[in-house]
Amino acid sequence: MALTVVVVLLLVTAADGAARASTPVYLDPAYSPAERAADLVSRMTLPEKASQLVSSQSAAIPRLGVAAYGWWNEAAHGVAREQTNDGDQPPTLINTTSYPVSLSLASSWDPELVRREASMISDEAREVVRDNRLDLDFYSPTVNLARDPRWGRNDETFGEDPFLTATMAAQFVSGLQGDGPYLKAVATLKHYAANNSESSRLNGSSDMDERTLREYYTAQFRDVIRWARPGSIMSAYNSVNGTPAAASSHLIETLARQTYGFGGYFTSDCDAVYEMMAGQNWQPPGGGLLDQYSRTAYALTAGEDLNCTQGYHDEWNYANTIPAAVARSIGGLTENDVDVSVARLFTARMALGEFDAQSQVPWVTAARARLAARTSTGTETPERLDMARAAAAESLVLLKNQVLPLPRRGRIAVVGAFADPPEIYLGGYSSIQTSAGVAKSVTPLQGITAAAAPAKVDFLPGMIPGSLDTVDPAAVKAAAGYDAVIVVAGTDRSTASEDHDRATLALPGAQADLIGQIARANPHTIAYLETVGQVDVAPFAGAAAAILWSSFNGQQKGAGLADVLFGAVNPSGRLPFTWYASEAQLPPMEDFGIRPTATTPGRTYQYFTGAPAYPFGYGLTYTTFRYDALHVTRSGDTLTATATITNTGARPGAEVVQLYATTPSARPSDERPRRRLVAFRKVSLAAHESAPVTLTFPVGALAFYDDDAFRVTPGAYGLELSASSADVRQRAIVDISEPPPPALAVVTADPPRLQLPTGTRIDPQVTVAMTDQTRYGPGKLPAGMTVRYDSNRPSVIRPDGTALIAVHPGVATVTATVTDRGVSARGTFVLVVR
């Protein structure tokens, strides 16, 4: 089990000890979080270590001052659950701010908006968790790709594209975790990998070739790891190519740690280790059927550090199976494997400031100051509600428009069961809104009524009471007499959710018929669709004067909608997915291929060969934009595209400038995508204003996975400056005659064990990954590639040629510097020497 990316050598020196005799290393903030974590682990018994590797909750160890800790907390679009239960699911929080879900945020194409929202989420989290310092590891965000609109959890995603998802999710991670010497919270990317079907998520296998796995299903994980350094990753329930994700050393160690450079801890999805045995009936190579001990052993040795267990399937978990599994050495499991996992978990807790004086942790002092300054207003503050409103407005996608923005005059009808429901549906993993939270929430009807004055607003249910299945003819007749009609339609948990895929893209009940009938009766009909993802718009798209879409848009959804309807905000959302015309265009859900075949049209804008209802990246505004003078240059390994964007209309607005790469000289047998998003930027311009736009991306973004590496094939590549994936405004060709050679990217190490006796000669077993994802090692590196070791305390850890010697008890951090053709990369690692 590799001690990858961050490993630290812990020894207590005489010099250190004289000054710090009364302070254990793990309580001394002068040491790094990894050093302190490893020291703490070295003081534990095996049963105590095992007790730390469960999510609900890890046990208190009073003799060491370790508090019970809940790892399973939720903050997908607002802090929503805190794990204060032991052996059960975490309770849902009450009256915390609920923002638009990730799919709505992705529609904004505004990474900075995502960062600000996530930062507000973790600010609020620091205010509501125990003592402002515990239970701060959140199982968010979901970065699985929305490859099929029928998937029940598409609203949790950032869309279908790896690059867009990685860009937005990296900002969510950065905002949630914060900047500074301490983490504000820990973000957990989920669900790794290829978890895209509720019907098969527990015990199905997502099967694909290695190219699809690397280019599509793990590419966004790779980039978020590289750009934002998330503290945690959750492995999926499902298998990938027959091996459970919770026991896949290929996914966890080879790809995430050694190739992508992930340095945090892995957690299972909840009861996924149990499902390896009970649902998947998996048999490891050379082994028989699993029992409660062997399932633990194979997951832990694969790198699954934390066992998320609710305790309702059976009574077994890491805490009560590890000691026996170690004693029996099942699957080669040793106490060292346990040490490594526990150290990773406590590195996260140390980085959060849990073990330091709370007056020295800025996130704690800031949260307590905010709480002290309030009286009884709660944590749904005006600033957070304003953010929810702004995000809701910016997330709206205008699909069709003949009448917006609406004037504030005459009579307006608001129609539909979703316009003013008794309970606002906020999406999965939402907090509970009691009367105090409801008072701070805005339904579409409430938002429109408040914004429309002096226009008169009436509500028409639209359906026979108590059902979505029957259109009320009286409502249709009445709607014909209004100056404008806004029909609010949607989906909720009954249509799709965790554990529940959709079979059809049709709007539930008779909602599509309602929109169509009213639109034919009144030519000024606007349809607002708030849904889990794409729906079939064919029954009403021709008749409706305007169509707006978002996913579940937070507790200020009605205010954000009204801002756009009446022109206070110019819509700027763009689709983060291909809007398929119907489910007839889709392969079976269980087909994880994305490239077209003889019987399937392919998936996503990259490969889909059919005619969508709306293309990826599409969205209208109340103004128009012109693109001029595309120019592309190359400097070293970077390509730069410049152009001028002009707002040619009479209103200020924002344009999402999208840059796609194509491969015009590729052979059909190469099965290249039609285009790939490589850069984008959201640009706000006043009426008639022009501004230069610069988009940069690495030449390596043009690579494809081929023959066990990502390679940029020499030749011509097309660049398309576009308003959507189907609306190309400017084109250029760039010749890549000399692709950049592979360079050092990730250095990791796998020393023999975390705790070593003095005098041990240590071979760190270094592994190197290159920018093309080729790997070398462990141990043996190519000729010409050199390794140098440096110790921050050479009196206790002494470099000795290609190895290290532990010469005295103490603490040291060792850095391995690998050099290849004049370029260097580094990795650090930690051990305990006694």
Side-chain angles (χ1 to χ4, degrees), residues 154-214:
N154 274 330
D155 59 302
E156 296 183 41
T157 77
F158 291 95
E160 73 181 27
D161 182 66
F163 177 74
L164 176 63
T165 292
T167 302
M168 304 297 264
Q171 291 303 308
F172 188 98
V173 170
S174 295
L176 195 76
Q177 296 192 158
D179 299 317
Y182 292 98
L183 292 175
K184 185 167 37 163
V186 170
T188 301
L189 306 183
K190 62 182 189 180
H191 313 79
Y192 181 75
N195 181 263
N196 294 91
S197 167
E198 296 308 286
S199 62
S200 62
R201 73 170 185 146
L202 293 181
N203 44 51
S205 183
S206 304
D207 297 335
M208 67 204 72
D209 59 25
E210 191 71 7
R211 174 185 167 188
T212 303
L213 180 68
R214 300 282 192 105

Side-chain angles (χ1 to χ4, degrees), residues 293-471:
Y293 302 106
S294 55
R295 79 193 194 202
T296 285
Y298 283 104
L300 195 61
T301 56
E304 192 78 278
D305 303 303
L306 181 66
N307 181 199
C308 184
T309 173
Q310 297 169 255
Y312 61 60
H313 277 138
D314 65 20
E315 70 272 28
W316 302 106
N317 53 56
Y318 274 10
N320 58 19
T321 58
I322 280 175
V326 169
R328 292 160 54 184
S329 191
I330 300 172
L333 180 68
T334 69
E335 188 166 355
N336 179 67
D337 298 311
V338 182
D339 288 349
V340 171
S341 290
V342 182
R344 287 174 180 152
L345 295 175
F346 275 103
T347 297
R349 291 175 67 171
M350 296 291 177
L352 288 162
E354 177 188 342
F355 291 84
D356 293 343
Q358 299 308 290
S359 61
Q360 301 303 308
V361 182
W363 307 119
V364 173
T365 56
R368 291 175 180 174
R370 290 193 299 268
L371 290 169
R374 299 187 201 122
T375 54
S376 59
T377 57
T379 61
E380 292 175 299
T381 63
E383 295 79 11
R384 289 166 187 160
L385 295 171
D386 286 347
M387 180 66 201
R389 178 176 183 163
E394 193 171 345
S395 296
L396 285 162
V397 182
L398 183 60
L399 299 175
K400 179 182 179 179
N401 187 32
Q402 297 170 346
V403 294
L404 296 177
L406 291 174
R408 290 179 170 86
R409 63 173 182 266
R411 298 170 64 240
I412 298 171
V414 179
V415 183
F418 286 89
D420 194 40
E423 177 186 350
I424 296 179
Y425 183 62
L426 299 169
Y429 296 105
S430 300
S431 58
I432 295 171
Q433 301 298 323
T434 62
S435 57
V438 170
K440 297 180 179 181
S441 303
V442 182
T443 68
L445 175 63
Q446 291 168 341
I448 293 165
T449 301
K456 184 179 186 301
V457 177
D458 294 326
F459 174 63
L460 305 174
M463 300 288 186
I464 299 298
S467 172
L468 280 180
D469 297 329
T470 306
V471 175

Side-chain angles (χ1 to χ4, degrees), residues 53-76:
L53 299 181
V54 291
S55 66
S56 50
Q57 292 175 331
S58 63
I61 308 177
R63 71 179 185 86
L64 294 174
V66 174
Y69 192 87
W71 295 93
W72 179 4
N73 311 290
E74 303 287 354

